[in-house]
Amino acid sequence: MPEVPETSTPTWPPRVRFLRIGEVVIDLALRRVSHGDHATELPQRVFDVLLVLAAEPHVLHTRQALLARVWAGVIVEDANLSQSVSVLRKALGEPHKAWIRTRSKQGYVFEPPFDIEALDALEAPGAPDAGVAAEDGTAARDAATPVAATAPAPRRALSMRATLATAAALALLAALAWWLLPRLAAPGAAPALPASVTLIPVEDPGRDSADAASLELLDAWLGWKLASLPDVTVLTPAHLAADPAAQARNTVVLLSAGPSPQGPGKRVVRARFEKDGEVHRLQQEGDAADVALLVDRLSDAVLAALHPDRPAQAWPSLRATPEAAIGFLALERARRAHHWSDAVEAGDALVRDAPDFALGHLHLARAQATLGRLPEARRHLETARKLLQPMPAEAEALLQAQQLALSNDHAAAAEAYARLAERYPDQTWFAQQQARALGRAGRFADALALMQAPIWDRPLPASTEMQKWFNRAIFQAPLGDLEGAIESARRADALAAAAGEEWAYDRGHTLMLLAQLQVDGEPDRDTRAAFEAAAAQFERAGDAFSALRARFLGEVLGPPKGQYRYLDEWLAQARAAGQRQLELGALRAAAFQQYRAGNIQAYRLRLMQAMAVAESMDDPWSTNAIERDLLNEEYLQGRFTQAGERIARMAGNDQQGELVTWARLFEVFIDQMQGRNARALAAAERGRTRMDDPGLPAPSQSVRDRYACASGQIQTTMGDPQAARASYARCPATDPALELVAIIGLAEVDLATGDAAAALAGLHRALGKLPDLDTAPGRWILKLEVAPLLAAAGEPDEAERLNRDVLPEVQRAGYGMLTAMAHVGLAELALSRGELDDSRRWAARARASLPEPIWLVDQRIDLVEAGVARLDGNPAGADARLRTLEREAASRDDMLARLRALDALQGRTTSGPIATTRMALVARTGLRGVSVDWMMPATGGDSLKADDTP
């Protein structure tokens, strides 16, 4: 059987999109293998093996040839090939995996029993959804892939009515953790300077790996020196091509490396560029073992020729053996291809063998930061900073600023970048990094103000202009300016699209951000196609990591799409690859899958696992996202003391935007539940109008809507139905959760003002919209809110059904406050039927379910116990309890509780001090429908003495 030559991997004509082999279809664009109902998306190397086999079937492909063709220039073990073939066979499935036949100790033969057809289209559209095969052999067929940033929470009911829609507004905020993850890119990535430099390595494909390693070393070392100088800008070829205006003031430096004509074992490194009409040809020759010395000398010569007026500066010596240069080549090739896990693996091996190689530590830190491994990134950056001595003061200042960013001292990092930006105002990269550090600190308004400063109004290179709009979008969103954020993201995307194919990576990010913002604006819109477009751009750029993230976001955002299949397999992939951001996103997605289904114990387990990962990353952004989830848990459990402590931590970190809105809203909800109504209403109104901070921009419409909804129930409780109706009118019908808040709130107002028919119509309308909520806890909360209103409106049987339906669910969940609400609801209904023992038992259970006293639950229990005491022959004890309740309600501005207590005390009498007080309050508030007649039979007359007027 013939062997094939060791050439590169094959390609088909551009028009060819699919290969068909019997029932097996290979999608060349998406790296997908499908057959029947099964489809698998392959990693790049595995797919390359398949392409070689499919291009040359029925011939022997030796292991050496396959390694040379698929892993050209990369040092890998033989096991990589065996593992790739194993993954490929699993993707082909039964019986097709037998098409790949192993020739013992030789290689592989691809022997399909059909001809291989090359097609530009398939006759039947609609290929099955594909998963991704992991390098370790696991296969995941679900398109939902774990994210590299914290996955945002779905829309869910968080607390009693007013909190119902809070999580929806914070979904995007959790996702922003990825965009603001500290990066260690060199400051040449998005420049705006009068002059710039572009380094272009000129590789000779025929040269050996030592020459390629020497060239890589020269490019990186010279690039680091140039990028470390604040008044120098390094433009990539892609950025230069996208900005014709920059080309006129740019200096292109061509770099090369190869054997020296001086003889065997000699090497030469060269640089060629034109400056001020003069062509400079610089080179260094010497022994191959001294390649680091040659690179070091040439870099100094290039710097001197590019900037002859710059004073002489001390730079560190480059310490690297030829073997270290080879290892550095593997690290850089993986990093440029966005294969971050491979880059970290190569970097770890490199610095283990060459611990004094500063450039290796520096580039390894960049790869680790991209994966969210901040503690490791900090350690290697600090090692690099110590090894890179001496260095110019400006270079030292830049490294220190980057180190502060990785250390999560974002305020100090912002100050460090601010000093650099003030000293070098033309270098907008410093201003960008200052803004990002402010964003990481939660100071979104300050970050946005910086990105809207006059320096951004001048003509800018395309790359800088794109990043300006991109950064504005990620700061506008958490401030509630969703429309502005979407417009900014669209501008950034238009610039990336116009820049061409070389900007596929940037285009992927702009498309993914735009898709996330659109989901936040239209939660019920299916935007999977938008995320798929972002994934396609990432794949064009070779970044499978970000492509996975885009597809996963497409699955978990927007309307519910059912269960996420094989999520544990995705989680295993992320953990095995060391991709902690990916693992964290998968854990949160798994958690919210359980939350939606009402499996709260499993939800908490996943949250604890996610918190452990976030803490290992030492990343406050990721930790804060989980803090919000835990705050919701403490609230529903009724652990308000713990919740208050968590709110203080969240609100006390100099945060701006949606995070502080979240904390303040929960503070409003707790104050309301504890009967601190005046304080709760004042805080809600302040939040609706100016968010307590005149230094912040005016709150967005969505923020005002949420505070208005929170105000409505408080105003009803305090006896101002007209204001409550106005507040509920501001709850938009376009948001299902806020719409339900308004429907139930208005029904309560109707009932309290005496229109029971209108109240019943509203309550049944709310129950009809219950399926609009995609989480089980949200539905439990609504049922518990609707049940007592139905009972008071004359439908006790439906109220009983709702309470009994919810009770076992909230008990299993361990939600003490919700359990107490179900218990007291059943106690009220038992009392209405005269079943005193049952009523007493349910009331006792309600009290025992609360971890700590909660006014809105306790006052209902007190009313039940007073009713039981009266019917049980203890009217004096009942009246004493009711008088205490009425005074307490008055002190808390709780008009509803006060009128109920007075109604119970008044009985059937229509005169006397109690009746007079009650009629005066009804006349003042219009709450003529507040009554306990449905719950406790009226007995006797006015039971208070004349001098006991409340």
Side-chain angles (χ1 to χ4, degrees), residues 822-845:
H823 280 146
V824 74
L826 292 170
E828 290 167 344
L829 290 162
L831 177 60
S832 72
R833 296 189 296 267
E835 299 168 356
L836 301 189
D837 288 343
D838 286 347
S839 183
R840 189 182 292 111
R841 184 174 64 254
W842 286 121
R845 290 178 179 176

Side-chain angles (χ1 to χ4, degrees), residues 592 614 817 879:
F592 287 116
M817 182 172 67
D879 290 350

Side-chain angles (χ1 to χ4, degrees), residues 19 50 65 73 151 208 284 321 428 525 544 626 628 755 796 840 888:
L19 302 179
L50 175 59
D208 60 21
Q284 291 289 325
T321 63
T428 56
R525 176 182 176 186
I626 303 169
R628 291 191 294 271
D755 193 346
R840 189 182 292 111
E888 184 74 8

Side-chain angles (χ1 to χ4, degrees), residues 124-474:
D129 288 339
V132 177
E135 295 283 1
D136 63 1
T138 61
R141 289 170 290 179
D142 185 32
T145 62
V147 298
T150 304
R155 297 193 318 279
R156 51 197 170 106
L158 293 180
S159 69
M160 304 303 97
R161 263 190 280 159
T163 66
L164 200 61
T166 311
L170 290 160
L172 182 63
L173 184 62
L176 287 177
W178 168 254
W179 303 115
L180 291 175
L181 191 68
R183 309 294 188 189
L184 289 179
L193 282 177
S196 58
V197 177
T198 298
L199 303 181
I200 300 182
V202 182
E203 282 196 75
D204 184 347
R207 296 289 166 84
D208 60 21
S209 57
D211 292 333
S214 301
L215 183 58
E216 191 70 53
L217 197 61
L218 174 60
D219 183 29
W221 188 242
L222 178 57
W224 172 72
K225 287 184 175 181
L226 288 168
S228 296
L229 300 176
D231 56 344
V232 176
T233 298
V234 180
L235 277 175
T236 68
H239 287 134
L240 186 63
D243 188 14
Q247 297 173 14
R249 59 180 182 269
N250 185 74
T251 301
V252 175
V253 181
L254 302 178
L255 307 175
S256 62
S260 169
Q262 292 182 357
K266 301 293 183 179
R267 285 287 184 274
V268 61
V269 289
R270 300 184 179 89
R272 179 186 181 280
F273 56 94
E274 182 178 346
K275 181 174 174 59
D276 299 328
E278 180 183 354
V279 177
H280 295 259
R281 293 182 175 87
L282 308 175
Q283 69 177 42
Q284 291 289 325
E285 294 180 85
D287 293 337
D290 296 329
V291 63
L293 179 61
L294 303 180
V295 166
D296 212 2
R297 288 174 176 172
L298 183 59
S299 68
D300 287 340
V302 171
L303 280 178
L306 285 173
H307 302 281
D309 299 331
R310 177 182 289 278
Q313 294 176 297
W315 288 96
S317 299
L318 176 61
R319 297 191 294 271
T321 63
E323 293 76 19
I326 294 289
F328 185 70
L329 175 65
L331 163 60
E332 284 303 280
R333 283 180 171 174
R335 200 169 66 88
R336 277 200 302 273
H338 309 295
H339 299 160
W340 303 111
S341 296
D342 292 343
V344 168
E345 184 179 356
D348 283 338
L350 171 61
V351 300
R352 184 173 57 249
D353 296 337
D356 294 334
F357 185 20
L359 207 57
H361 286 283
L362 181 62
H363 285 230
L364 173 57
R366 292 175 179 175
Q368 288 170 326
T370 301
L371 288 179
R373 302 182 185 181
L374 300 188
E376 296 95 325
R378 283 199 299 270
R379 186 172 66 253
H380 286 288
L381 184 61
E382 172 61 19
T383 300
R385 193 175 69 84
K386 290 178 180 178
L387 293 171
L388 290 170
Q389 297 295 337
M391 73 174 82
E394 303 100 317
E396 176 80 20
L398 176 58
L399 273 181
Q400 287 178 343
Q402 292 176 331
Q403 197 164 6
L404 287 169
L406 285 181
S407 300
N408 291 321
D409 193 347
H410 304 301
E415 291 175 4
Y417 282 120
R419 288 192 293 270
L420 288 167
E422 183 179 7
R423 185 173 180 183
Y424 304 96
D426 286 333
Q427 179 56 282
T428 56
W429 188 84
F430 294 136
Q432 286 189 44
Q433 295 308 305
Q434 180 189 356
R436 293 176 74 82
L438 290 170
R440 290 287 298 174
R443 294 167 58 187
F444 301 111
D446 296 339
L448 181 60
L450 186 59
M451 291 305 302
Q452 293 174 333
I455 62 169
W456 302 103
D457 296 333
R458 61 188 177 182
L460 299 170
S463 56
T464 308
E465 187 76 11
M466 184 204 72
Q467 292 189 10
K468 175 187 79 174
W469 291 110
F470 189 93
N471 285 325
R472 284 185 182 181
I474 63 175

Side-chain angles (χ1 to χ4, degrees), residues 6 91 477 605 915:
E6 297 188 4
L605 175 62

